[in-house]
Amino acid sequence: MSISVQVDDFDVGAEINALSDGRTDIGAVVTFTGLVRDMAGGEKIADMELEHYPGMTEKALANIEAEANARWDLQASRIIHRYGTLAAGAQIVMVATASPHRADAFEAAEFIMDFLKSRAPFWKKEGTADSGKWVDARDADEDALNRWS
Amino acid sequence: MQVLYFAWVRERIGVPREDVETSAETVADLVNELRGREERYDLAFSDMSAIRVALDQELSDLHTSLAGVREVAFFPPMTGG
């Protein structure tokens, strides 16, 4: 289990290798990568500013990861979330889960992402050509949490 | 106590954090006290359904006591991932 909150980009391939390196007991690795889209609500997005709450962010990510490990049979997990100004196309977040069987790895990765969306203290501001706009939380993201309760 | 603001709450209030002298008993009391101080707070806290609160970095709510709390944070619903 490990989490990172960082400005720097990450290498998904290297992260997967680090999870499974030297191990022969892992049967499945699932990864999710979130990217900055260049369109939102019909508007062209140049970049995205991600603000976070240093201290609380690390705690929230560690709690979400620990909860996933308690619920599913995971052999390893990794969460990386970037902050700062990210250009369209840039990687924002990565979740990787490793398990003997794929069902646990898939579900745990989805669970972690659902909680990151609305329970990790990050706020996104979309930068268009002439202004910035804070992204509203979506009801669908809140609803997504209910299926795990 | 230290009071922190994030995202548009920070922008409306104009500072990311400040030391607040208060005898407010609950989060709601603190919000009311701040709203009475200056218009920028009144504006930021005009719709409390759009505000989330954390006490010492744990999500909490308006009715929670501030006893022993060192850090209060106000922010909009989170948009991570």
Side-chain angles (χ1 to χ4, degrees):
Chain A
M1 298 204 319
S2 96
I3 62 125
S4 299
V5 181
Q6 63 190 45
V7 169
D8 293 340
D9 199 7
F10 49 83
D11 179 338
V12 175
E15 295 296 335
I16 295 173
N17 290 340
L19 276 191
S20 58
D21 207 26
R23 298 182 65 157
T24 52
D25 57 336
I26 293 174
V29 175
V30 164
T31 64
F32 170 86
T33 310
L35 312 174
V36 179
R37 257 181 317 178
D38 68 353
M39 290 292 284
E43 276 205 274
K44 186 87 177 152
I45 302 302
D47 56 27
M48 177 106 83
E49 201 181 304
L50 269 128
E51 182 171 336
H52 79 117
Y53 183 171
M56 181 173 168
T57 309
E58 288 81 356
K59 281 188 206 169
L61 264 52
N63 286 342
I64 293 166
E65 186 180 47
E67 178 68 21
N69 277 267
R71 286 189 180 214
W72 288 278
D73 180 13
L74 299 183
Q75 295 164 310
S77 56
R78 179 90 173 106
I79 302 175
I80 304 174
H81 206 307
R82 297 177 70 192
Y83 64 95
T85 303
L86 304 177
Q91 304 188 116
I92 307 173
V93 60
M94 187 201 107
V95 170
T97 50
S99 176
H101 305 289
R102 72 178 187 279
D104 283 66
F106 271 124
E107 280 186 24
E110 209 165 4
F111 170 89
I112 291 169
M113 275 311 303
D114 281 349
F115 275 79
L116 287 184
K117 280 276 171 194
S118 45
R119 291 293 182 274
F122 287 95
W123 300 274
K124 292 181 180 137
K125 190 178 197 177
E126 291 165 346
T128 55
D130 52 357
S131 67
K133 180 184 174 296
W134 290 103
V135 175
D136 286 325
R138 298 166 64 234
D139 289 341
D141 288 335
E142 193 62 32
D143 293 344
L145 297 185
N146 294 330
R147 67 179 158 142
W148 304 111
S149 59
Chain B
M1 67 182 65
Q2 281 290 305
V3 183
L4 284 69
Y5 311 106
F6 293 95
W8 57 255
V9 180
R10 170 180 55 72
E11 289 179 342
R12 285 184 197 178
I13 289 172
V15 292
R17 65 161 63 213
E18 59 187 335
D19 201 32
V20 174
E21 292 288 332
T22 179
S23 53
E25 288 181 8
T26 66
V27 177
D29 292 341
L30 175 62
V31 168
N32 286 333
E33 192 180 313
L34 291 171
R35 289 186 71 173
R37 285 189 185 183
E38 285 181 55
E39 199 181 348
R40 57 194 170 109
Y41 295 102
D42 195 37
L43 195 72
F45 295 129
S46 59
D47 176 11
M48 288 307 291
S49 70
I51 302 281
R52 300 291 177 268
V53 59
L55 301 181
D56 289 330
Q57 306 189 352
E58 294 281 348
L59 279 178
S60 189
D61 62 62
L62 285 177
H63 310 294
T64 308
S65 165
L66 290 175
V69 171
R70 284 170 303 175
E71 188 173 294
V72 181
F74 294 104
F75 42 79
M78 294 159 274
T79 51

